[in-house]
Amino acid sequence: MEELSERINSLPVSATLAMAAKARELKNNGIDVIGLSLGEPDFNTPEYIKDSAIKAVNDNYNSYSPVDGYADLKDAICTKFKRDNNLNYKPSQIVVSTGAKQSIANLCMVLLNPGDEVLLPAPYWVSYSAIATLAEAKSVIIPSSIETDFKITPKQLEAAITPKTKLIMFNSPNNPSGTIYTEAEYRALGKILEKYPDIFILSDEIYEHINYGTPHFSIAAIPELYDRTITVNGVAKAFAMTGWRIGYIGAAEWISKACNKMQGQITSGANCIAQRATITALLEPVSKIQYMVDEFSHRKNLIIELLSQIKGFKMNRPDGAFYVFPDVSFYFGKTIGGTTINNASDFALFLLEKAHVATVTGEAFGNEDCIRISYAASEANIKEAVERISRALS
Ligand code: GLU
């Protein structure tokens, strides 16, 4: 008898991973699908990072690490936070996890009670609401659109706050819109949050280094918010280390202690070899990965130029991450080649089936008008994908 828990039954599957799996399946069946669904750099991990992992294997790093990470890795993370973000964290405030996703899950599990409200400025990363649901909290979505460059305003923020609000999750540079909150914008939102001392702030900065011009600002750098901001980061995106699975947080000590306790019961310490490699990734100059950022920047300009030639694609010009998030609502209600498109999910499915291009519906990110297209793909694939989309729609 198959009787799963209500917990898992109420959990949606990850739309990003589901779309990637679907594309993989079609490919295995001999269909030439171009995968623009997953946010994953198509570069290899840089040699100097790989070398440190190889050294770690040869140095016999094979035992359990401390649950919250090796001491010298936590030192390196403190150095990084100071160097890049002007944030002072002590090693006791750091917890290293199996990816930023686990860092976020730890945090939600230790902070949220059933019925607590979590504010999600939309578009938000697909797993935020699912993780909040797992923690039995309620997601409260604050919408935004292309007109505001997918950013929420202080007025919207204040209107969404209730006595039950416990946490707000920011993600800048943003997945899926690529938008970046400026220091001034964060300070204006911070002014509202200062009035509500019981609200915690999760600042997901995983795309920090994939930035094409707007200076990165960490909301924890606002002294009034430092104590209740949890800064999340990791090495996946900037260092092309998605599969290595290393994320981390900087937080008030009582929060990091609780996350450490949670992790101690669920996974223990993160992979020891990946932790050693992360020390190198974080301590070497950031300029060493600029070649990837430059390439992403070039591809961003290319994909925007190509997509904007397709009728009905409305886009912002993102300054970070490696996604575009076009509004495709122009096509809703239309029938193309016998297929009626009523919403963003239909549109993404249409692109997969008729153009063999995998994207992700905006509905998974709390926006029903858009689809997410990752341009972490080769120039040739980007060109071919847009060509196919254009052909399928005409
Ligand atoms: N964060 C990436 C994305 O949004 C990886 C997939 C995932 O973990 O959801 O595509």
Side-chain angles (χ1 to χ4, degrees):
M1 186 166 45
E2 291 181 13
E3 267 191 45
L4 292 170
S5 68
E6 283 174 27
R7 188 178 307 110
I8 191 67
N9 284 336
S10 67
L11 193 72
V13 292
S14 161
T16 47
L17 301 183
M19 202 55 167
K22 214 175 212 166
R24 224 174 278 138
E25 193 188 309
L26 287 175
K27 259 188 202 163
N28 289 343
N29 289 339
I31 297 170
D32 168 31
V33 173
I34 301 180
L36 303 183
S37 58
L38 205 57
E40 173 157 67
D42 58 329
F43 292 97
N44 289 323
T45 306
E47 292 300 321
Y48 64 99
I49 300 174
K50 290 199 287 196
D51 287 345
S52 69
I54 293 164
K55 181 168 181 323
V57 173
N58 290 328
D59 287 348
N60 296 312
Y61 276 94
N62 38 238
S63 312
Y64 289 125
S65 77
V67 171
D68 52 351
Y70 287 118
D72 49 353
L73 172 54
K74 294 201 294 173
D75 286 342
I77 292 168
C78 293
T79 302
K80 176 259 174 286
F81 272 136
K82 183 72 200 157
R83 180 193 66 197
D84 300 341
N85 313 103
N86 198 24
L87 294 177
N88 289 306
Y89 286 116
K90 296 193 298 266
S92 55
Q93 295 178 270
I94 307 295
V95 180
V96 179
S97 303
T98 301
K101 199 184 277 191
Q102 188 187 17
S103 298
I104 296 165
N106 283 345
L107 192 265
C108 287
M109 291 302 169
V110 307
L111 211 55
L112 299 173
N113 280 313
D116 282 346
E117 291 179 1
V118 178
L119 298 183
L120 299 179
Y124 52 82
W125 179 50
V126 57
S127 292
Y128 293 164
S129 58
I131 293 172
T133 303
L134 260 189
E136 297 179 60
K138 184 180 155 212
S139 298
V140 176
I141 292 160
I142 311 178
S144 74
S145 65
I146 286 186
E147 280 66 45
T148 57
D149 193 23
F150 293 114
K151 293 175 196 178
I152 61 159
T153 62
K155 206 167 149 196
Q156 279 183 294
L157 169 60
E158 187 144 39
I161 292 172
T162 76
K164 288 192 169 167
T165 308
K166 184 68 184 276
L167 179 67
I168 180 162
M169 295 192 186
F170 284 114
N171 176 213
S172 173
N174 178 267
N175 173 4
S177 73
T179 245
I180 299 178
Y181 280 96
T182 63
E183 176 174 349
E185 287 161 345
Y186 258 158
R187 285 193 185 279
L189 293 167
K191 280 273 167 267
I192 305 296
L193 293 167
E194 277 174 36
K195 293 199 270 174
Y196 300 91
D198 297 332
I199 300 178
F200 290 83
I201 301 144
L202 184 148
S203 177
D204 178 353
E205 303 181 15
I206 189 79
Y207 293 93
E208 172 186 11
H209 295 306
I210 318 288
N211 183 319
Y212 317 117
T214 303
H216 183 80
F217 183 72
S218 294
I219 196 164
I222 299 175
E224 292 78 6
L225 301 179
Y226 172 85
D227 278 340
R228 52 194 171 101
T229 299
I230 300 89
T231 308
V232 179
N233 212 324
V235 288
K237 311 293 180 180
F239 301 94
M241 293 174 73
T242 49
W244 298 63
R245 310 308 303 134
I246 296 290
Y248 54 85
I249 59 163
E253 213 171 285
W254 63 274
I255 295 177
S256 64
K257 258 189 175 166
C259 290
N260 188 5
K261 182 175 165 190
M262 174 60 66
Q263 193 165 296
Q265 293 289 18
I266 294 182
T267 54
S268 299
N271 175 290
C272 60
I273 305 302
Q275 285 194 58
R276 303 311 300 165
T278 297
I279 298 177
T280 304
L282 295 182
L283 292 183
E284 288 295 311
V286 179
S287 55
K288 284 193 165 181
I289 52 163
Q290 188 58 37
Y291 68 97
M292 292 190 261
V293 182
D294 290 344
E295 182 59 30
F296 287 135
S297 173
H298 168 70
R299 295 176 191 175
K300 178 195 80 168
N301 292 333
L302 175 72
I303 198 164
I304 288 181
E305 188 197 312
L306 295 175
L307 283 176
S308 47
Q309 288 165 23
I310 303 180
K311 193 172 166 194
F313 271 63
K314 264 201 315 185
M315 273 166 298
N316 64 329
R317 278 200 85 88
D319 230 1
F322 31 60
Y323 309 105
V324 280
F325 199 55
D327 180 321
V328 292
S329 57
F330 168 83
Y331 289 97
F332 299 174
K334 295 195 165 59
T335 300
I336 306 168
T339 307
T340 302
I341 296 168
N342 284 319
N343 50 45
S345 297
D346 288 350
F347 192 85
L349 204 62
F350 173 85
L351 293 187
L352 184 66
E353 285 170 356
K354 301 287 190 279
H356 296 155
V357 175
T359 59
V360 187
T361 170
E363 281 171 42
F365 306 92
N367 180 307
E368 300 191 346
D369 293 329
C370 300
I371 58 163
R372 188 189 79 172
I373 304 179
S374 163
Y375 53 86
S378 71
E379 202 174 309
N381 272 353
I382 291 172
K383 284 183 179 157
E384 171 68 16
V386 180
E387 178 62 36
R388 288 185 191 183
I389 294 173
S390 173
R391 229 180 297 133
L393 289 172
S394 61

